[in-house]
Amino acid sequence: MSEINNDIVLEIKDVYKSFDHLDVLQGISLNVNRGEVVAVIGPSGGGKSTLLRCATTLERVDSGRIMIGGDVLCEDKDGRAVYCDKKREKEIRSKFGLVFQNFNLFPHFSVRRNITEALIHVHNKSRAEAETICLELLDKMDLREKADSYPCNLSGGQQQRVSIARALATNPEIIFFDEPTSALDPELTKGVLTVIKELALEKMTMVIVTHEMSFARDVADRIVFMDGGVIVEEGPAYDLITNPKQERTKAFLAGY
Amino acid sequence: MENIVSTLIQLGQGFKFTFGIFGFTLIFSIPLGLLVSKGRMSKIFVVSLFFRVYISILRGTPLMLQLLLVYFGPYYLFGVNLGSIQVGPFNYRFLATIIAFSLNYAAYFAEIFRGGIQSMPKGQYEAATVLGFSKMQTYFKIIMPQVVKRVLPSVSNEIITLVKDTSLAQVLSVAEMFTAASAAASRQVSVVPFIVAGAFYYGMNLIIEALLNGVEKSMSYYS
């Protein structure tokens, strides 16, 4: 085992990923400290979502190292990524939560069951424990009265807040958001962004891929600008938005 | 009047076989169809090719021909005489019927299931994966319940067709309802037995329709 810094929740080091012959990630390195909120911005096709998908085990990187919550997901060996065994990978999955752009709630489960199912059947919590956690989170999301509704009867904003509750339920060390408001009507984004802001105040470690620049500026500690599969520029959120150094960053931000 | 009563009794006797073919075919063809659909979707080329050919042939040739082949094939092709086989109350005619029907319907069900499984959004698998569900849990808790809802209308179609297809067992002289109706019709020189048989088939399908509608309704709490 290499040195583990307890304050680093996510370590991505020199990660490469290509699909067929398309190089999507070309040497990405990114550390996220505990309690830190990092926003990832950049044009479509720049590799933001792929980076998130690699960090959340949904895609395999070609080379590089990824560590989450002190566990090594993959390690670089002679230019190839070597992944940990399935058991370890499953443990790692319990250390992070992922909020999808399209929510991906389970439509045949009630809100309550969407949140409690993994607690009961993956984390071996009792039904009572799971219920308590669920209702607490729904209170926080201002959705307690929707506990027995089905996702199809909720607005997009409500669905996304349920999916945030689902991601929080297992008490992860870090939460990834993949464009959490991109599928929402503008008037519905506010509630979701408010919830994420509250999480930031509670010092939840988060990585947020987003197109909401003012939100990124106000909520993130640090912003990473990605384009063409590399990190072009990164820095304190306010500085990067108001005073970008790189030409590509300037050109991108000028569009907002 | 006497004719009608005796017709009803004869058709009632035949109905037992009709219902037997129907029930056993469903019991065997649905799980078999699930396996065939899995095989058809296999990433291993030979496996998927095998099931592709299986489906193509079973769907592409008459069920009546398949019935004859299952019944006579063992003897004419391999010289094996299965005619004396008896499993419980069932003779080889009946068994051959069930085998042919099950193999045939499995091919149709397999394609319906494949359509249902492949129509599931990738996001459902991904959400289940990151939440830590195992492959089995994902399949049985997340995917299959939704697939059942998606395929139900098509499966209903097949089930209703199956009721009518049972009459094909006539070619193996299985004493099902249509065979009984044909015999009664020629004995009485009357078309009435056929009309009665038609009423039986239709009545059975009415009940099945009602049941399937009930099942569909029980799953309509989400969309």
Side-chain angles (χ1 to χ4, degrees), chain A residues 195-238:
Chain A
V195 164
I196 300 175
K197 261 179 211 167
E198 281 168 15
L199 292 173
L201 291 176
E202 291 169 20
K203 289 288 160 204
M204 182 79 216
T205 313
M206 296 188 279
V207 176
I208 308 167
V209 171
T210 184
H211 289 292
E212 302 269 349
M213 292 310 145
S214 56
F215 167 74
R217 182 193 61 207
D218 297 343
V219 174
D221 299 303
R222 190 150 52 100
I223 293 184
V224 171
F225 173 68
M226 273 181 79
D227 189 15
V230 295
I231 293 178
V232 176
E233 183 172 355
E234 65 173 298
Y238 189 82

Side-chain angles (χ1 to χ4, degrees), chain B residues 24 37 40 102 118 143 208 218:
Chain B
F24 282 117
S37 78
R40 168 72 177 76
S102 298
Q118 290 182 339
I143 303 302
I208 287 167
S218 77

Side-chain angles (χ1 to χ4, degrees), chain B residues 16-205:
Chain B
K16 284 191 301 194
F17 286 95
T18 295
F19 191 78
I21 297 167
F22 172 80
F24 282 117
T25 300
L26 278 190
I27 290 170
F28 294 121
S29 65
I30 288 179
L32 189 61
L34 206 52
L35 287 178
V36 173
S37 78
K38 281 262 147 203
R40 168 72 177 76
M41 290 185 286
S42 171
K43 289 195 184 84
I44 304 162
F45 179 73
V46 262
V47 175
S48 121
L49 183 70
F50 174 84
F51 286 103
R52 217 180 282 221
V53 171
Y54 172 89
I55 291 167
S56 178
I57 292 175
L58 272 285
R59 290 201 308 179
T61 58
L63 175 53
M64 193 185 281
L65 185 150
Q66 293 163 20
L67 280 161
L68 293 169
L69 207 64
V70 172
Y71 184 64
F72 293 111
Y75 182 72
Y76 286 112
L77 291 176
F78 310 109
V80 185
N81 193 351
L82 300 172
S84 56
I85 283 185
Q86 182 91 15
V87 178
F90 307 120
N91 57 20
Y92 186 63
R93 279 174 201 291
F94 189 76
L95 296 177
T97 306
I98 300 300
I99 291 168
F101 267 86
S102 298
L103 292 176
N104 179 275
Y105 269 76
Y108 285 94
F109 282 134
E111 284 299 86
I112 292 173
F113 296 154
R114 184 171 70 91
I117 291 168
Q118 290 182 339
S119 76
M120 286 297 295
K122 211 173 74 180
Q124 291 290 302
Y125 292 94
E126 293 182 345
T129 302
V130 294
L131 284 169
F133 289 114
S134 68
K135 280 222 160 71
M136 290 289 263
Q137 285 174 323
T138 302
Y139 189 70
F140 287 109
K141 281 178 181 296
I142 310 295
I143 303 302
M144 275 329 264
Q146 296 184 59
V147 168
V148 169
K149 180 180 164 113
R150 282 167 191 242
V151 302
L152 196 65
S154 313
V155 168
S156 299
N157 247 338
E158 290 304 318
I159 292 176
I160 284 166
T161 303
L162 173 60
V163 170
K164 296 171 290 178
D165 273 358
T166 54
S167 60
L168 288 171
Q170 193 190 26
V171 294
L172 299 189
S173 307
V174 173
E176 48 73 52
M177 192 164 57
F178 198 79
T179 310
S182 299
S186 58
R187 213 172 24 246
Q188 297 171 21
V189 199
S190 158
V191 79
V192 172
F194 285 129
I195 293 170
V196 176
F200 264 96
Y201 287 117
Y202 185 57
M204 185 167 166
N205 267 335

Side-chain angles (χ1 to χ4, degrees), chain A residues 53 56 58 90 93 96 98 100 104-109 117-118 121-122 150 152 166, chain B residues 122-124 126-134 137 141-143 145-146 221-223:
Chain A
R53 293 174 59 81
T56 53
L58 293 176
K90 202 175 167 181
R93 284 188 183 127
F96 67 80
L98 172 60
F100 297 86
N104 290 335
L105 291 173
F106 304 127
H108 58 310
F109 287 166
E117 196 73 5
H121 296 287
V122 178
Y150 285 85
C152 60
R166 182 175 70 174
Chain B
K122 211 173 74 180
Q124 291 290 302
E126 293 182 345
T129 302
V130 294
L131 284 169
F133 289 114
S134 68
Q137 285 174 323
K141 281 178 181 296
I142 310 295
I143 303 302
Q146 296 184 59
Y221 62 89
Y222 75 92
S223 57

